[in-house]
Amino acid sequence: MTKVVQAQINGILIRVPEGTTILEAAKQVQIKIPVLCKHPDLPPEASCGICIVRIKGTNKMLRACCTPVENGMEIITHDPEIIEIRRTVIELILSNHPNDCLKCQRNNDCELQRLTADFGIHSESFPTFLRDIPKDYSTNAIDLDPVKCILCGRCVHVCQNQQNVWALSFLERGMQTRISPAGDIQLADSPCVRCGQCAAHCPTGAIVEKDDTGIVWNALQNKEKYCVVQMAPAVRASIGETFGQIGVNYTKKLYALLRRLGFKAVFDTSFGADITIMEEASEFEERLLKQTRPLPLITSCCPSWVDFMEKFHTDMIENFSSCKSPHEIIGVLSKTYYAEKFKIDPSKIFMVSIMPCTSKKYEIQRSSEMFASGFQDIDAVLCTRELGRMIKQAGIDFENLPEEQADSILGEYSGAGVIFGSTGGVMEAALRTAHYLITGRELEHVEFESVRGLERVKETEVEIDGMKIRVAIAHGLSSVEYVLEKIRQAKLNNTEIPYHLVEVMACPGGCVGGGGQPYMVTDELRVKRAKALYSDDKDKEIRFSHQNPYIKRLYEEYLGKPLGEKSERLLHTTYVPQPLYRK
Amino acid sequence: MENINTEEIKSLIQKWKGKDGNLVMILHEIQNRYGYVPRPVSLEVSKETGIPLARIYEVITFYNYFELCPPAKHTISVCMGTACYLKGAPELLEEIETLLHVQEGQSTEDGQFHVNVVRCLGCCGLAPVVSIDGKIFGKVKKSEIMEILSRYTHEENNVKV
Ligand code: SF4
Ligand code: SF4
Ligand code: SF4
Ligand code: FES
């Protein structure tokens, strides 16, 4: 049992497990100590100093975010001097920060702005000095404006430790300190995999998703364009947070919303996920039974993971599923299958993807295979946060919208398709269909509890027709190392492969924790978002991709069979090693 | 740029392998060898040691000792001691910065000149004083700067002033 320590906060007795920080403990007595560099999802950076508290009877000021409560401590969280110091911390930050709030992408959703308002700072107390550092728009996924950086260190921690990419770093020190890739190059020339985790954790407008709302509004106004849209599984579970609703599934209201914004047809990426499963499970069956290509088969539906592999783990290329990500599949089918069926000129179709993801903004021009329809298959990608802004701009009372259905032929999804948005979801969906492909029988128990949950690496064994199928699931790029190393060692020593099937998602929690999702994510929130998807699955009559009647129809009417000639041409891609640094 | 000797870097890394603070020591030797830390060398060190390039640059840029650019051919020092200051040194500096398109503390893009400011060169009687590679120019007028610089550029014949 953990030891309990006893202390006082503002004169109120508290008992907390040993190791609890003052910041956490204060919540017990209804006190919110202000924080700036501390993100609830990350270990303390202890760089800003706004969270200081006083120990009674001493001159000692301690940082609440990183100081554990000790037995007998008498902690004061607020007094006039503490408040004055906190105000000065903010004022000093503001003296190096542009007054751009009105034109900033984070306006009204910025942690620095909120604190400035809370502390009632209305004038400049220190002369302003702005650094002269160029912006970086190079990635087509995230935009960097280092002048707005308050040096909290969150993005550097996330990029280096959580993602193990090491694209971002702090260069120099003192007044010169800045976030930048090594050697002041642009992010696109660095190892950055565009996961957007830095943007999702940044307290200010220093790193934000590339804003494509303007392009989409223009397309929606353009009479020449036939605008269609699809939304990813994870979006339905998080958009509610824009309006204070947590863990609610808004699928049907989103369909209505997207129509009201002016889209002519509304598709669902979960249907694309069903197609991905048909192709991927077939690939798996081939590799397993016919040994066509090496096992394990590794999933490829996360573009940041693909980018990471092409840069850091090129020896795994042969193990990658060649299947495109679900939204790319809907993209290419909207400009081929759908266009042909509904007699729409595909050159007029403007296809928008609503994604939890910044990486997908870059993916749409990743290689020539993303133009398989003869046009750019996806014209624009909006993150959940951007959709949230568009709802507000359009003045739509989202929560009171009626419920609608998606446009069929690319909209009706199975339960397997919608869990793609959570870590373990792709694996579970693939196992459901692979079981059928391998045995010809349906599973009795469709739920694979062992692949769910937030453990960073999940390893388990599933029995299919007497065969033991070993699987691994990793999320958050720093977790993949362990899995890949095991595979590598087996290859090297020619021993039995440790896994048959591996799922990787770049973002912790999978896409529900994506870099384009609403701010202030924690594991608690990731679980709630995932739950919304799992209950959607549970409520579905059809929970297997291969049973989805629209999937059957798609293959009968158009594609032929999984891994057939047409499927290969439209739904598959290739991978090439990429340099870590282009400069 | 000088040729990068991969073997040399490998043996350097081998030498410091497993020792505390080895990255700093490796970079130190590289700085001594080349006069700066060339990017291809950093990339090589990163590849060989597995230390991310970002980490290497964090270290390089943290310590003033390390340089990322080759040292300039000529060092121009503008004296800002009291006498020089009063007799117009700031104007001289400004002129030099304008002509060479650099800021004080930086080198020209072609690596010909490095410009810096010094406290006192010890020859206040000649104020304002500018020195280039240790050679003193006294009682310099703003209008003479162009001519002085051109003596150094003409010998190279490849710097536009
Ligand atoms: S997008 Fe991801 S990889 Fe790129 S800098 Fe941000 S955290 Fe690092
Ligand atoms: S860019 Fe944002 S997250 Fe990164 S250090 Fe600056 S303020 Fe913090
Ligand atoms: S895990 Fe999902 S949100 Fe994150 S980069 Fe991959 S596809 Fe995008
Ligand atoms: S929030 Fe504690 S030091 Fe920044």
Side-chain angles (χ1 to χ4, degrees), chain A residues 144-146 148-156 168 170 179 198-199 201-207:
Chain A
L144 242 68
D145 186 355
K148 290 185 183 161
C149 171
I150 59 167
L151 306 175
C152 71
R154 292 178 186 177
C155 61
V156 175
L168 282 178
F170 276 136
I179 43 151
C198 50
H201 286 90
C202 180
T204 71
I207 309 183

Side-chain angles (χ1 to χ4, degrees), chain A residues 142 155 158-159 163 165 167-168 187 191-199:
Chain A
I142 54 166
C155 61
V158 164
C159 187
Q163 299 300 70
V165 173
L168 282 178
L187 270 177
C192 171
V193 298
R194 296 140 167 119
C195 63
Q197 283 298 317
C198 50

Side-chain angles (χ1 to χ4, degrees), chain A residues 156 160 166 169-173 182-183 185 581 583, chain B residues 39 43 52-55 57-58 61-64 68:
Chain A
V156 175
Q160 297 186 350
W166 292 80
S169 51
F170 276 136
L171 297 184
E172 301 213 33
R173 57 175 160 172
I185 56 169
Y581 284 92
K583 274 191 182 150
Chain B
R39 189 161 176 98
L43 281 163
L53 192 71
R55 179 88 201 105
Y57 269 72
E58 282 174 348
T61 60
F62 188 84
Y63 297 104
N64 286 333
L68 283 169

